[in-house]
Amino acid sequence: MAVAVASSCCASTSARPLVHPAGRRSGKPWWASGRRSGTGGRKTRLLSVRATTAAPSDVGYADASAGADDDAVTALKVKLLSAVSGLNRGLAASQEDLDRADAAARALEAAAGGPVDLDRDIDMLQGRWRLVYSSAFSSRTLGGSRPGPPTGRLLPITLGQVFQRIDVVSKDFDNIVEVELGAPWPLPPVELTATLAHKFEIIGTSGIKITFDKTTVKTKGNLSQLPPLEVPRIPDNLRPPSSSTGSGEFEVTYLDGDTRITRGDRGELRVFVVS
């Protein structure tokens, strides 16, 4: 407990030795006698000292709240990743799985406290991201909600890992897809990696627009010695009306150092983790 002096004049008075004035032998202190002192006939002035309690120091309620919020966000992120695990990036998702993943993503987006600001956090996009879930893959096509080759028994195509490689300096945005093509027995399947190169730009606060550039295919495994092959682009006038050029827009709805959620211009929910 801190002690505060009632007035400025008392600060110097309290520093003097509290002794009897000259010529007094009373057993009482001179300031408590209530009689005139023997020095000049003046009444003694009572010394008033008042104790006050110091104001409590600021408690870090904001810091504690921030820590609680961080814990909540972490828990919701774990819940989302658990909801999409085992769905083969969405290819094995049922309608119930789609609803559960969407609800978990929306809870995390809301807990994060507002839209992503890519002008401020653009450096967090840098790097190689692995796709762990896409709601569009539930359509059972590699193009998602856009036209694409079907998976399953119609074509012997097995989808491997899918990545996005983003360079915020050069504005390169590459979708990298690992694919396995079946071959007649006894030939082994052909493993290849297709890189769909794009350029990107920021739209508004959290939007991204990608513009398709080219597709390059590189074989793996026993055929890895073959050079990369650039796939010729189909002229726009020969492209089916419903076909996509690989360009599009999406919004980044959650972004931290290791997890990213995006929602596409056709409602696709995608979840990425840093690779």
Side-chain angles (χ1 to χ4, degrees):
M1 178 178 293
V3 177
V5 179
S7 64
S8 59
C9 68
C10 296
S12 60
T13 305
S14 60
R16 297 174 184 172
L18 301 181
V19 298
H20 294 291
R24 290 194 60 85
R25 297 295 182 183
S26 170
K28 294 183 179 180
W30 66 270
W31 64 83
S33 65
R35 294 177 293 178
R36 295 178 182 271
S37 70
T39 57
R42 293 175 297 177
K43 289 185 178 181
T44 58
R45 179 176 297 177
L46 296 180
L47 176 67
S48 175
V49 179
R50 182 172 58 190
T52 60
T53 303
S57 59
D58 292 339
V59 181
Y61 295 117
D63 294 340
S65 176
D69 291 345
D70 291 343
D71 291 342
V73 169
T74 299
L76 289 171
K77 184 166 64 172
V78 171
K79 183 177 181 180
L80 170 62
L81 296 178
S82 298
V84 301
S85 65
L87 299 180
N88 192 16
R89 282 139 299 172
L91 290 168
S94 64
Q95 185 59 51
E96 183 179 354
D97 295 325
L98 295 174
D99 294 341
R100 185 184 301 110
D102 185 74
R106 292 188 184 279
L108 177 56
E109 292 163 348
V116 174
D117 185 353
L118 291 180
D119 288 335
R120 179 193 62 202
D121 298 330
I122 188 170
D123 287 345
M124 298 177 71
L125 288 175
Q126 179 73 30
R128 180 181 170 102
W129 298 81
R130 179 171 60 87
L131 177 71
V132 295
Y133 174 78
S134 172
S135 62
F137 282 169
S138 65
S139 64
R140 309 299 191 268
T141 74
L142 298 186
S145 58
R146 293 175 166 81
T151 61
R153 297 182 178 180
L154 294 179
L155 288 176
I157 299 176
T158 301
L159 178 66
Q161 298 291 346
V162 179
F163 302 93
Q164 282 184 350
R165 184 174 56 207
I166 304 175
D167 189 324
V168 300
V169 177
S170 63
K171 302 300 182 182
D172 288 331
F173 191 106
D174 299 336
N175 287 322
I176 304 171
V177 182
E178 296 178 352
V179 178
E180 183 180 281
L181 302 178
W185 186 86
L187 298 176
V190 178
E191 300 178 12
L192 56 86
T193 300
T195 301
L196 288 71
H198 301 76
K199 290 293 184 179
F200 81 93
E201 59 180 306
I202 304 298
I203 302 175
T205 301
S206 56
I208 292 180
K209 178 180 180 180
I210 59 174
T211 303
F212 176 75
D213 183 16
K214 63 182 178 180
T215 298
T216 304
V217 174
K218 179 70 174 68
T219 53
K220 301 169 59 178
N222 296 331
L223 301 177
S224 60
Q225 69 276 10
L226 296 178
L229 172 66
E230 183 173 333
V231 179
R233 181 172 179 175
I234 300 176
D236 293 340
N237 59 341
L238 299 178
R239 188 182 300 274
S242 60
S243 179
S244 170
T245 61
S247 302
E249 298 179 8
F250 58 87
E251 182 181 9
V252 181
T253 57
Y254 178 82
L255 177 65
D256 64 19
D258 54 28
T259 306
R260 174 163 55 97
I261 299 175
T262 66
R263 293 187 180 269
D265 52 4
R266 300 193 185 188
E268 307 97 326
L269 168 66
R270 296 186 177 94
V271 181
F272 297 85
V273 297
V274 167
S275 173

